Amino acid sequence: MPPKKQKDDGAQNNAAKITMLDFEAKRLQMRIVEEQMRADRSKTQEMQLQQKYLSMEKDFKGEKEKLFNISTDMNRQYKQMQDELLKDINELNATVKEKDEVIKTKEQQITDYRANYEEKLKKKDQDIAELRKKIDDMSLEFADMLKETLNKMQERIELAQWDNNSDNQVMRNFKEASGFGN
């Protein structure tokens, strides 16, 4: 009878081993499911971060283009104003030259008709003085206007540069925090 008992013990040992292996297999399957769920969550988070990154990059490019368009428009306006003012200055210079020629002509006539035209000469001198004063005033106003425009443009350029540097730092911090920067 002892050999039969060994068979029963062997069968019990095998049954216990099968039960333990079955339990271990179920435990490993549960662990695989848990790991798969964790991997799925990680993949979902990665995709969300990637979408957020792409969205931020698109927004950054849009703001950069917007800033470029604003700057281009300001440059165009500045050049247009400058051209108009230069045109006005040239016209005024031409007027001054014309008046100078009239003065020379009048001086010649004055030498011929000094007594008759002395009063007219004074009037012309007054007109010329007023025109020169107007030219000087307009030149000062123009210089002030150009200085103000230049200062405004410099402020906007400095703001644009600050925004650009700030955006680059934010992107670096985001990359470092998310692990994409490595």
Side-chain angles (χ1 to χ4, degrees), residues 63-95:
E63 287 298 318
K64 188 175 180 181
E65 185 176 323
K66 182 179 173 183
L67 179 64
F68 176 77
N69 290 338
I70 289 170
S71 177
T72 301
D73 187 49
M74 287 179 63
N75 282 336
R76 182 193 54 78
Q77 289 176 8
Y78 172 77
K79 287 180 181 181
Q80 182 181 7
M81 283 176 38
Q82 186 179 25
D83 290 344
E84 289 172 3
L85 292 173
L86 286 174
K87 179 183 171 190
D88 290 346
I89 288 171
N90 288 336
E91 288 174 359
L92 290 173
N93 283 335
T95 302

Side-chain angles (χ1 to χ4, degrees), residues 9-113:
D9 285 343
Q12 284 179 351
N13 279 342
N14 284 341
K17 284 182 182 180
I18 289 172
T19 304
M20 281 195 54
L21 289 174
D22 191 35
F23 176 75
E24 184 66 22
K26 286 181 182 179
R27 188 183 67 80
L28 289 173
Q29 285 176 344
M30 287 177 59
R31 186 166 179 200
I32 288 172
V33 169
E34 287 174 3
E35 290 296 322
Q36 184 63 41
M37 288 173 58
R38 199 168 91 196
D40 290 345
R41 282 193 304 267
S42 293
K43 187 67 174 174
T44 302
Q45 287 176 345
E46 178 184 351
M47 290 174 66
Q48 288 173 347
L49 286 174
Q50 191 173 16
Q51 286 295 332
K52 189 174 182 179
Y53 171 77
L54 292 173
S55 174
M56 290 175 78
E57 186 176 33
K58 181 182 176 184
D59 291 346
F60 175 71
K61 285 179 181 178
E63 287 298 318
K64 188 175 180 181
E65 185 176 323
K66 182 179 173 183
L67 179 64
F68 176 77
N69 290 338
I70 289 170
S71 177
T72 301
D73 187 49
M74 287 179 63
N75 282 336
R76 182 193 54 78
Q77 289 176 8
Y78 172 77
K79 287 180 181 181
Q80 182 181 7
M81 283 176 38
Q82 186 179 25
D83 290 344
E84 289 172 3
L85 292 173
L86 286 174
K87 179 183 171 190
D88 290 346
I89 288 171
N90 288 336
E91 288 174 359
L92 290 173
N93 283 335
T95 302
V96 169
K97 285 180 182 179
E98 289 174 14
K99 295 296 178 185
D100 284 342
E101 289 176 16
V102 169
I103 290 171
K104 287 180 184 178
T105 303
K106 294 294 177 185
E107 285 176 352
Q108 181 62 37
Q109 290 175 356
I110 288 173
T111 57
D112 296 340
Y113 304 103

